[in-house]
Amino acid sequence: MQTINSDLRERDQKHLWHPLTQHKTAAAALPIVRAEGAHLFDDSGTKYIDGISSWYTAVYGHCNPYITSRVAEQMTRLDQVVFSGFTHEPAIKLSEALIAILPKGQQKLFFNDNGSTATEIGIKMALQYHHNLGNDRKVMLAFEDGFHGDTFGAMSVSGLSVYNGAFEDHFIRVERIPVPNGENTAEILEKIQVLHAENGIAGFIYEPLIQGAAAMKFHDAEGLNEILKFCRKEHIILVADEVMTGFGKTGKFFASDYLSEKPDIVCLSKALTAGLLPMGITSCSQKVFEAFYSEDIAKGLFHGHTYTANPLACTAALAAIDLLHSAEMQNNIAQIRKSNEAFAEKLKRQPKAKNVRNIGVILAFELDVEMERYGNLRNKLFRFFMDRGVALRPLGNTIYIVPPYVISEEDLQYTYSVIEQVFSEF
Ligand SMILES: *Cc1c(COP(=O)(O)O)cnc(C)c1O
């Protein structure tokens, strides 16, 4: 079955349209034939360290045998059943396992297919919550530069960008506020008050503490907490998008665990299913659920995806949560955090590394070089890392890592050393 390198590349280009890709200018996609633990292997046998856990999904390692064996076993018993009118044990067990670790107050789970649908439903819940209560609130509040996905609602509440231009006329109504930086909280609260008085805000969607797609932008926890408190007082539904931050990446189960003010709704995906199968979940509090609980059928949440609560995806998520609880995985996270901390200290003494920041397994900084000199710096950095066997996806001049929890100390130190080589090469 072995095919040669160029063959797969050519066949790829014949019929495949890749995400987030301008095919006219993009390099051919690299065929990956195998993945194991913290490693990806291409079709010529070259090994790469998966420095971002394949977009923050495969944190327990690729093809983790505990997870794959649990899913394989489930596969022989129940593959799929309609989740409207039917239920099954994997979904029930997962609801119990998740509610036990979700931020306090979460009570009900609504299943969906990915991170975008998880936030899309979070937005729909917030808007319909007020609709059902007869409140005139039709606007969502969001952070500037946020990212919540690519479906219409999710795209609308994300930061404005060149990528969304074709759809702007079709966006839902959104008002945007800056992220708290430790100095602007009072201004932000004032702005929310004005916006709310003018528009009637239904919900506030936010990536707690870290904006992943905005190049791992960190924001002030105290300021965010103040904003959440203020919104709660105004009966604005709090929608935490934990799609990127969830399941241990910040060193706690969820980034919301760093905040005293808890969300009404939480959006989950990515590491939820450990990179094995796609699934999203939108959880909510009893208060939110009760606004939909009625004799009136129209007050229900009439949203549903065919693969809702797929038993295999639920089993992958359950196995993943088992691993997350294990002493071994918690030790791994603590070890990466410690190593990252030491590396961050080192980076802070490096004049070309600006705004060095780290939390849990996440570490990021900006490479301070004259970007014009490099044409497309981002692409050059990407190639630089790949040529040295490390798969990272820099954003502009931001270099960041979100390694799988199972990465060996040796691979982690190697990743750091390749990052340090950037300073002499660029
Ligand atoms: C990736 C991401 C999404 C979108 O998830 P998809 O599964 O790609 O649709 C939404 N919110 C955040 C914070 C994300 O990181």
Side-chain angles (χ1 to χ4, degrees):
M1 281 295 287
Q2 201 66 26
T3 36
I4 59 162
N5 200 339
S6 61
D7 187 36
L8 281 182
R9 283 175 209 225
E10 270 165 38
R11 283 160 61 203
D12 171 274
Q13 293 189 336
K14 199 157 175 202
H15 298 300
L16 296 177
W17 190 342
H18 288 265
L20 310 173
T21 302
Q22 171 49 271
H23 278 283
K24 178 138 193 192
T25 50
L30 176 69
I32 296 295
V33 295
R34 194 165 75 79
E36 186 184 350
H39 299 123
L40 303 169
F41 298 86
D42 73 12
D43 57 346
S44 63
T46 304
K47 181 167 96 172
Y48 304 90
I49 296 169
D50 188 355
I52 59 158
S53 308
S54 288
W55 263 340
Y56 332 132
T57 59
V59 291
Y60 312 98
H62 286 278
C63 301
N64 184 296
Y66 176 71
I67 302 175
T68 53
S69 65
R70 290 269 305 262
V71 173
E73 196 273 331
Q74 178 60 41
M75 213 174 251
T76 62
R77 268 188 299 140
L78 175 66
D79 51 355
Q80 165 72 0
V81 66
V82 176
F83 205 62
S84 176
F86 298 93
T87 193
H88 51 76
E89 198 178 25
I92 293 163
K93 278 189 169 166
L94 179 56
S95 69
E96 293 159 354
L98 264 179
I99 295 297
I101 60 169
L102 275 165
K104 196 160 167 268
Q106 296 299 297
Q107 186 65 21
K108 298 279 181 185
L109 305 187
F110 194 96
F111 285 90
N112 44 77
D113 295 345
N114 55 62
S116 303
T117 55
T119 57
E120 192 82 24
I121 290 161
I123 295 163
K124 286 176 83 170
M125 278 180 181
L127 291 172
Q128 194 182 341
Y129 171 89
H130 285 291
H131 175 86
N132 283 358
L133 294 183
N135 300 334
D136 183 26
R137 298 194 186 202
K138 301 198 170 70
V139 175
M140 289 297 294
L141 185 68
F143 278 137
E144 290 162 2
D145 301 326
F147 177 74
H148 301 288
D150 288 330
T151 53
F152 269 90
M155 183 169 60
S156 305
V157 294
S158 297
L160 296 171
S161 78
V162 291
Y163 309 116
N164 294 340
F167 312 109
E168 265 181 59
D169 291 347
H170 311 284
F171 281 3
I172 65 165
R173 291 176 59 195
V174 178
E175 292 291 346
R176 293 186 175 79
I177 51 171
V179 294
N181 59 17
E183 282 155 26
N184 60 356
T185 308
E187 273 162 63
I188 296 172
L189 297 185
E190 227 166 273
K191 184 164 183 194
I192 298 172
Q193 190 143 41
V194 172
L195 290 171
H196 185 44
E198 283 171 359
N199 304 283
I201 292 169
F204 171 45
I205 185 163
Y206 58 101
E207 293 161 90
L209 300 186
I210 305 143
Q211 295 180 301
M216 293 294 161
K217 199 169 172 184
F218 284 29
H219 50 262
D220 176 48
E222 225 168 283
L224 178 57
N225 216 37
E226 288 305 305
I227 293 169
L228 299 182
K229 218 181 271 178
F230 185 84
C231 287
R232 165 139 302 130
K233 200 177 84 224
E234 299 292 340
H235 199 183
I236 293 168
I237 296 294
L238 304 175
V239 185
D241 178 355
E242 295 252 15
V243 170
M244 192 284 285
T245 47
F247 302 100
K249 293 184 204 92
T250 63
K252 296 189 189 261
F253 286 136
F254 298 96
S256 294
D257 297 341
Y258 285 92
L259 305 160
S260 63
E261 223 37 57
K262 302 302 176 194
D264 301 298
I265 292 172
V266 181
C267 312
L268 306 171
S269 192
K270 292 203 165 119
L272 168 68
T273 43
L276 202 70
L277 291 160
M279 186 166 75
I281 289 179
T282 311
S283 68
C284 71
S285 64
Q286 187 66 21
K287 173 182 94 174
V288 172
F289 180 74
E290 272 168 14
F292 294 75
Y293 192 75
S294 162
E295 301 284 336
D296 181 359
I297 193 161
K299 288 207 164 146
L301 181 59
F302 279 84
H303 185 118
H305 296 285
T306 307
Y307 277 97
T308 292
N310 172 260
L312 306 179
C314 287
T315 302
L318 261 172
I321 293 170
D322 273 358
L323 291 180
L324 186 59
H325 280 296
S326 71
E328 188 191 345
M329 215 53 78
Q330 288 299 322
N331 281 341
N332 290 346
I333 294 171
Q335 183 54 45
I336 295 169
R337 178 190 211 153
K338 211 170 119 205
S339 300
N340 274 356
E341 227 133 70
F343 185 51
E345 284 314 309
K346 203 168 170 195
L347 284 175
K348 283 173 189 165
R349 295 191 295 272
Q350 164 56 245
K352 284 186 188 167
K354 288 279 166 330
N355 194 15
V356 180
R357 53 209 185 269
N358 63 294
I359 183 172
V361 304
I362 303 170
L363 177 142
F365 65 93
E366 272 74 60
L367 178 65
D368 190 22
V369 295
E370 239 182 273
M371 288 183 68
E372 304 76 52
R373 262 185 57 198
Y374 295 96
N376 192 328
L377 176 65
R378 185 256 162 225
N379 283 358
K380 293 205 166 105
L381 285 170
F382 175 75
R383 272 260 58 90
F384 181 88
F385 290 125
M386 286 299 283
D387 288 346
R388 286 154 185 79
V390 182
L392 295 180
R393 290 181 59 92
L395 286 159
N397 66 333
T398 304
I399 295 172
Y400 68 93
I401 61 167
V402 187
Y405 307 155
V406 297
I407 192 171
S408 67
E409 186 60 28
E410 190 189 347
D411 279 345
L412 192 56
Q413 293 299 335
Y414 177 74
T415 302
Y416 297 153
S417 75
V418 171
I419 290 173
E420 287 187 290
Q421 287 172 39
V422 167
F423 302 123
S424 45
E425 297 284 327
F426 287 83

